[in-house]
Amino acid sequence: MKKGNVLILAIAATALLGGSAWLYAKKTGGHEEKKTSLRIGVLLYRGDDTFIGTLRNSMEQAAKEYEKETGVRVTLDVRDAKRNQLTQNSQAERMIDLGCDVLCVNMVDRSAASGVIDQAMESDIPIVFFNREPVAEDMNRWEKLYYVGTDARESAVLEGQILVDAYRKNPSTLDRNGDGVVSYVLLEGETNHQDSLIRTEWSIETLKDGGVPIEKITGGIANWERNQASALMEQWLSDYGNKIELVLCNNDDMALGASDAIERAGIVAGTIKLVGIDGTPAGQEAFREGKLFGTVESSKDIYAKRIFDTAEELAMGKEVTQEKYFWCPQHIIAN
């Protein structure tokens, strides 16, 4: 072999050995450079949803506190899908192209998470889903998928318990006309949405199990929205008048919409009992004003911080401290 070729081989071998040593040192912490910034893609199903907006604000606050404590710069790149799953898929692709370290995804369609997961897996980008839980088959596809949310059954049971406790204390609180039956109307979230179905089923089941004699007058889908709920309630007040004693709502925004209609009808606040779920700031204010009989709150700070902390742990290559699913604690707000 010529001397020149030997020299080239020697240089190449040295480079390879040096590269291997550097990689080893990086894995063992020897020469690892500290990560100084995080980019987190946050994909929302609908940015104008009150509860989601509250979570977003709390996540932004958690990011600011983390920056202050660690000196690591955090970019939360928030995108609103406006209820369009195809839009959200495109937004996920864009976030990955921009080099996001992790995605936090509030699915438009919980049954369509596979499209987002496929893109993330291909680029090895972890995902923290929140609020709208993907189906189990999708969640089990990869070890880098996590979910943060509230237990819909627990929310509903607590909502029902507000009314059971009130009825046991004084039946006339709910049975305003004293006929031995509490007549109610029901405001539901989205059609076939898991949380909506579970909240409806278990709030009613809790009332029955608690010995509250109930009779459904009517119900309708208001898609979690205040305006839609208000329109439905206005029609029901026209159709059924004083027969309505209770309004069961899958969330606070719909309870507030029903309250708006009751106020427009000139009915004194609190005459018809309204209960919701979420414990939003507006919902809690309405409770203090006597417009809502009660609500169920999940701590937004705990909720949002868990989303952020899991995202940060994944992005920084740390051991993730939560299990695959994290259920945020909830509590009753009622008198």
Side-chain angles (χ1 to χ4, degrees), residues 266-277:
I267 299 170
V268 176
T271 301
I272 299 174
K273 300 300 185 288
L274 300 169
V275 285
I277 293 173

Side-chain angles (χ1 to χ4, degrees), residues 31-51:
H31 296 100
E32 185 172 6
E33 292 184 7
K34 183 179 179 182
K35 195 173 178 66
T36 59
S37 65
L38 293 177
R39 190 183 188 100
I40 301 174
V42 182
L43 307 183
L44 307 179
Y45 97 100
R46 192 183 115 212
D48 61 353
D49 181 288
T50 302
F51 181 76

Side-chain angles (χ1 to χ4, degrees), residues 45 106-108 110 130-134 147 190 193 224:
Y45 97 100
N106 169 223
M107 289 298 304
V108 173
R110 62 181 292 269
F130 65 96
N131 180 252
R132 296 161 77 89
E133 179 188 350
Y147 178 74
E190 298 169 50
H193 186 283
W224 312 110

